[in-house]
Amino acid sequence: NFEEKKPKGDDIIMFSLNHSLQIPGGDLSKRFGNNSDISGTIMHKTKNNLIFNLEAGFLFGGNVKETNLFNAIDGNNGDLISQNGEIPIIRLFQRGTRVDFNFGKYFTIPMKHSESGIVISIGMGYLYHKIFIETLTIELPQLNEELIKGYDRLCAGLTTKQFIGYMHFSKKNNIRYLIGLESIQAFTKSLRGYNYNTQSIDDAQRKDYLFGFKTGFIIPINQRKVERYYIY
């Protein structure tokens, strides 16, 4: 005969694939509209319900508010012209990347069919963002690989982050997910240092904020096993 005994708490390493719909604030809202954030998270939940995680995300969006980037080189008609006299199609997008380390607490909610709870965490990290400039069909010497850096507004800096959400672990069908609200504060500055269209030095300190609704699908990687002991 044998009996099974669970340990004090589950010690789990998990991977989470997430999506956040984010609203910009501060200086970032003057440059971009709403964006998406696709991220991956490695999480460790201890038996004492402490949570540590490392997360990396990719930011992207199609709403760029700064549309006057090429005023200094677009000629009298407002269009950039190639060497062959052609007018190219130029599209602007938001692009960015972030990485952060977070620490938090998991508060279990007593439920019959799931082992779920509320997660509260804080973190620090690094973020960069820029305007991605895409020229279709035609190559422009005005926007070659080197010169385009004077227009892309590349910025980066340290971040702080807060998250509060619900983490669900079903006992019946193995469904695991998280939903919650996330806030990121980035203290950035230009990495280019000079803007070609304004012909001025850009050394201002920026405050870039992101407020998002986050969802994630969780996959356990390693879980502390049930302890077994024998009675004869």
Side-chain angles (χ1 to χ4, degrees):
N1 298 323
F2 69 88
E3 296 180 9
E4 294 189 354
K5 179 184 176 181
K6 279 197 170 183
K8 178 180 177 182
D10 290 329
D11 195 288
I12 314 173
I13 297 175
M14 301 169 282
F15 174 77
S16 176
L17 182 62
N18 320 297
H19 173 263
S20 298
L21 178 62
Q22 296 175 324
I23 301 172
D27 294 319
L28 197 65
S29 64
K30 301 173 186 176
R31 180 165 295 170
F32 301 116
N34 297 350
N35 67 273
S36 287
D37 180 336
I38 299 293
S39 62
T41 311
I42 294 291
M43 291 184 283
H44 178 209
K45 185 178 80 68
T46 72
K47 64 182 181 180
N48 295 318
N49 284 336
L50 298 178
I51 289 185
F52 304 87
N53 74 56
L54 179 66
E55 182 169 292
F58 172 65
L59 287 68
F60 58 97
N63 186 351
V64 178
K65 297 181 179 180
E66 294 188 22
T67 57
N68 61 343
L69 297 179
F70 312 117
N71 285 357
I73 58 173
D74 62 6
N76 296 328
N77 62 355
D79 293 314
L80 290 172
I81 300 176
S82 72
Q83 291 174 314
N84 299 323
E86 299 170 296
I87 298 176
I89 298 174
I90 298 176
R91 302 193 301 181
L92 306 178
F93 302 93
Q94 177 188 3
R95 293 290 186 268
T97 302
R98 64 177 179 85
V99 60
D100 43 69
F101 177 78
N102 305 274
F103 166 77
K105 178 71 173 177
Y106 178 78
F107 299 93
T108 303
I109 300 174
M111 301 177 74
K112 183 178 180 180
H113 299 297
S114 69
E115 297 178 1
S116 305
I118 301 297
V119 177
I120 299 176
S121 68
I122 58 174
M124 293 188 65
Y126 187 82
L127 175 145
Y128 89 84
H129 60 78
K130 71 174 184 177
I131 299 173
F132 177 72
I133 303 168
E134 181 182 52
T135 303
L136 299 180
T137 67
I138 301 170
E139 291 188 7
L140 288 174
Q142 304 99 308
L143 295 178
N144 62 31
E145 185 176 346
E146 189 60 33
L147 291 177
I148 204 170
K149 296 177 182 178
Y151 302 98
D152 68 6
R153 301 294 195 270
L154 177 64
C155 294
L158 297 177
T159 64
T160 55
K161 177 180 163 186
Q162 304 82 38
F163 174 81
I164 180 169
Y166 171 76
M167 191 179 294
H168 181 85
F169 296 88
S170 174
K171 295 178 182 178
K172 298 179 64 176
N173 52 23
N174 228 22
I175 293 176
R176 298 172 172 88
Y177 64 85
L178 65 86
I179 57 174
L181 299 175
E182 189 172 69
S183 178
I184 299 173
Q185 305 82 40
F187 306 95
T188 68
K189 62 181 297 185
S190 172
L191 296 186
R192 302 305 189 198
Y194 191 83
N195 291 335
Y196 285 3
N197 69 312
T198 60
Q199 299 182 8
S200 62
I201 294 173
D202 185 358
D203 58 359
Q205 297 291 328
R206 297 172 53 88
K207 295 180 180 178
D208 297 326
Y209 306 136
L210 288 165
F211 307 96
F213 175 73
K214 184 175 187 176
T215 59
F217 176 72
I218 300 171
I219 304 171
I221 298 175
N222 181 40
Q223 182 168 342
R224 186 176 178 184
K225 296 181 180 180
V226 172
E227 293 178 354
R228 296 187 179 186
Y229 57 90
Y230 293 85
I231 301 176
Y232 295 94

